Amino acid sequence: AQVLTVNNDIKSRLFTLALPVSGAALWLDASKQWNLFDTTALANNLYSNGGAIGQWNDLSGNAQNAQQTSSANRPTWLTPANGQNGLGAVAFNGTSSKLTGTPISTSSTYTLYLVYKYNTGGTTYPPVFFNGNSGSNGYGFGRYSTNRTVLHGGKGFAQDGVMPTTWESAQISRSSGAFTFYVNGTSTTIGTLASYNAPTAGIVTGK
């Protein structure tokens, strides 16, 4: 599909939209700046490096948009020149900036695919992504005690090696309690976890 966007300062651009996989429950893509807005009122798309993000629209078609109503806690957008591989990115400050949304209903089988870069400092468990309440329900992925960590809220966690401070991709698939875990396309072992409690709190990305 071809999508034409025109923002308030009459800039227009043409983009091609295609889901990377069919049936995605959520797709947040920082490389497509026309789905990033400066406020939850969707007033303006972001064009400047360091612009604060009020809403990051879900491109899956399920309207699981991630928002931040507090201007003090909004992450910022990095232009392609300042992102990764010529693509834009979303930057979080590691302490207070995050985006949230409604919980995603999924079965006990799920797959997460994430591209991220962790910077030193920040909180003990900064989630790259979490669906639910990390203390009691849901599931997610982030850094805990220096390691890449899959967490099932209220159930426990499984870990891989140290999360580096360079860009990487991770794919976590869970089926019948067992995890298949890939880092930059290479398979690694992350162990097993009990079934998670159904998520009751919303999604969160960043910190």
Side-chain angles (χ1 to χ4, degrees):
Q2 299 296 315
V3 180
L4 180 66
T5 65
V6 183
N7 75 343
N8 287 357
D9 59 0
I10 320 300
K11 292 179 181 176
S12 62
R13 300 190 180 190
L14 188 66
F15 300 90
T16 300
L17 171 62
L19 282 171
V21 295
S22 61
L26 172 69
W27 179 26
L28 298 175
D29 190 340
S31 71
K32 295 172 173 56
Q33 67 195 75
W34 44 266
N35 71 325
L36 295 161
F37 296 88
D38 59 352
T39 69
T40 54
L42 311 184
N44 299 288
N45 289 114
L46 296 173
Y47 286 92
S48 299
N49 190 63
I53 299 169
Q55 182 158 312
W56 191 358
N57 278 359
D58 170 27
L59 299 181
S60 73
N62 296 314
Q64 294 282 165
N65 303 325
Q67 301 179 327
Q68 178 54 261
T69 57
S70 171
S71 59
N73 296 324
R74 288 173 178 161
T76 56
W77 186 62
L78 302 179
T79 60
N82 296 282
Q84 171 67 0
N85 290 338
L87 300 174
V90 173
F92 301 88
N93 64 16
T95 56
S96 61
S97 63
K98 61 182 178 180
L99 296 167
T100 62
T102 57
I104 299 172
S105 297
T106 57
S107 67
S108 58
T109 297
Y110 63 79
T111 295
L112 300 175
Y113 181 79
L114 312 119
V115 179
Y116 58 88
K117 175 184 177 184
Y118 172 74
N119 291 323
T120 56
T123 57
T124 302
Y125 180 75
V128 178
F129 173 82
F130 202 87
N131 179 34
N133 183 316
S134 60
S136 59
N137 59 73
Y139 57 87
F141 175 78
R143 175 186 178 272
Y144 181 74
S145 186
T146 75
N147 295 326
R148 304 182 190 97
T149 303
V150 176
L151 174 66
H152 283 185
K155 293 287 189 175
F157 60 88
Q159 291 186 312
D160 179 52
V162 172
M163 182 180 284
T165 56
T166 55
W167 284 97
E168 65 178 11
S169 65
Q171 178 180 311
I172 307 102
S173 296
R174 181 184 186 276
S175 179
S176 301
F179 287 98
T180 303
F181 189 62
Y182 295 85
V183 175
N184 296 328
T186 300
S187 178
T188 185
T189 301
I190 201 167
T192 60
L193 272 176
S195 297
Y196 61 86
N197 296 320
T200 57
I203 62 169
V204 59
T205 182
K207 191 65 177 178

